[in-house]
Amino acid sequence: QQQVKQSPQSLIVQKGGISIINCAYENTAFDYFPWYQQFPGKGPALLIAIRPDVSEKKEGRFTISFNKSAKQFSLHIMDSQPGDSATYFCAANFGNEKLTFGTGTRLTIIP
Amino acid sequence: KAGVTQTPRYLIKTRGQQVTLSCSPISGHRSVSWYQQTPGQGLQFLFEYFSETQRNKGNFPGRFSGRQFSNSRSEMNVSTLELGDSALYLCASSLGQVNSPLHFGNGTRLTVT
């Protein structure tokens, strides 16, 4: 049972554009929603995270938007750069339960 | 501060054999989680150990087992290897508190032939 659905599977964005990755979850008990970034040959690294008491969180060029009623959250990368090319994973959990990951989005930024 | 260290980086095993993977967490981290990463399935949770006790378990068969030592280092064992076990196995450590971020190692690439 996939509890976190992520789309798109792959995304190509021009340099300077906005990259948008979407996730939807089923478990209403989830109260922690992180995004991880993974480069080839490396393990995933925490990028940014949000809790459901806020609708948006911004860190530099990265923004999480959260819609509790729709059970959806998304990652926006503003002014996308070639160095942002990586695989992005959304995730969710509650308490000390396991972190459940989406299936990943391979982002490619082209010049 | 040293990151999460996983050894070995690469392994090639034959179907039916068993394998042990090792993970050294960040100093001070008491929780170690293991994930299997495959192109089609993404990151699948195997299990989590906290202070030498298994705290969470995923939906993997009993061939997959793990343990954690008193120094928080962890090992994962897979017995009777199958071709479908070929994957990148990732270990992640954390403080083990609610919403503690996971810090991943670079994984062990296991190939079963």
Side-chain angles (χ1 to χ4, degrees):
Chain A
Q1 180 190 6
Q2 185 185 356
Q3 296 193 38
V4 180
K5 294 184 179 179
Q6 183 172 347
S7 63
Q9 190 173 2
S10 61
L11 180 63
I12 299 174
V13 174
Q14 208 144 28
K15 178 182 174 183
I18 302 173
S19 304
I20 302 174
I21 304 171
N22 301 300
C23 283
Y25 62 97
E26 300 167 2
N27 190 341
T28 54
F30 286 156
D31 64 0
Y32 176 65
F33 303 90
W35 285 87
Y36 281 78
Q37 178 189 55
Q38 185 178 28
F39 293 104
K42 301 291 187 181
L46 179 65
L47 188 62
I48 186 173
I50 196 169
R51 290 184 56 86
D53 50 350
V54 296
S55 60
E56 185 175 284
K57 182 174 182 179
K58 184 176 181 179
E59 289 185 3
R61 296 184 294 108
F62 300 90
T63 300
I64 299 179
S65 296
F66 185 82
N67 186 330
K68 189 175 182 178
S69 60
K71 293 188 289 185
Q72 295 175 347
F73 58 110
S74 59
L75 176 69
H76 295 235
I77 305 174
M78 313 299 287
D79 186 26
S80 299
Q81 298 297 311
D84 298 330
S85 296
T87 300
Y88 293 80
F89 293 93
C90 61
N93 79 338
F94 66 93
N96 277 319
E97 293 298 305
K98 65 177 184 180
L99 196 57
T100 298
F101 285 85
T103 50
T105 297
R106 179 173 289 184
L107 174 64
T108 303
I109 307 301
I110 57 175
Chain B
K1 213 176 203 181
V4 177
T5 303
Q6 291 189 245
T7 55
R9 285 298 310 272
Y10 303 93
L11 265 178
I12 300 176
K13 290 287 187 178
T14 303
R15 191 171 48 184
Q17 288 185 314
Q18 75 164 12
V19 67
T20 299
L21 312 182
S22 181
C23 173
S24 293
I26 291 173
S27 178
H29 284 190
R30 297 167 62 190
S31 169
V32 173
S33 298
W34 289 88
Y35 285 83
Q36 180 194 67
Q37 184 174 20
T38 57
Q41 297 296 316
L43 288 152
Q44 299 291 311
F45 176 78
L46 284 152
F47 30 67
E48 180 212 3
Y49 287 86
F50 180 79
S51 294
E52 302 180 66
T53 301
Q54 188 179 84
R55 184 161 68 173
N56 288 300
K57 188 178 187 306
N59 297 322
F60 277 79
R63 300 185 297 107
F64 292 82
S65 63
R67 59 178 175 169
Q68 186 180 33
F69 302 95
S70 58
N71 61 359
S72 292
R73 191 177 70 84
S74 178
E75 287 183 347
M76 188 190 95
N77 186 76
V78 187
S79 62
T80 319
L81 284 166
E82 300 178 359
L83 296 178
D85 296 333
S86 294
L88 180 67
Y89 290 87
L90 291 162
C91 162
S93 74
S94 78
L95 291 172
Q97 299 163 0
V98 172
N99 297 346
S100 294
L102 296 183
H103 298 264
F104 283 88
N106 291 330
T108 294
R109 172 75 62 185
L110 173 64
T111 302
V112 182
T113 62

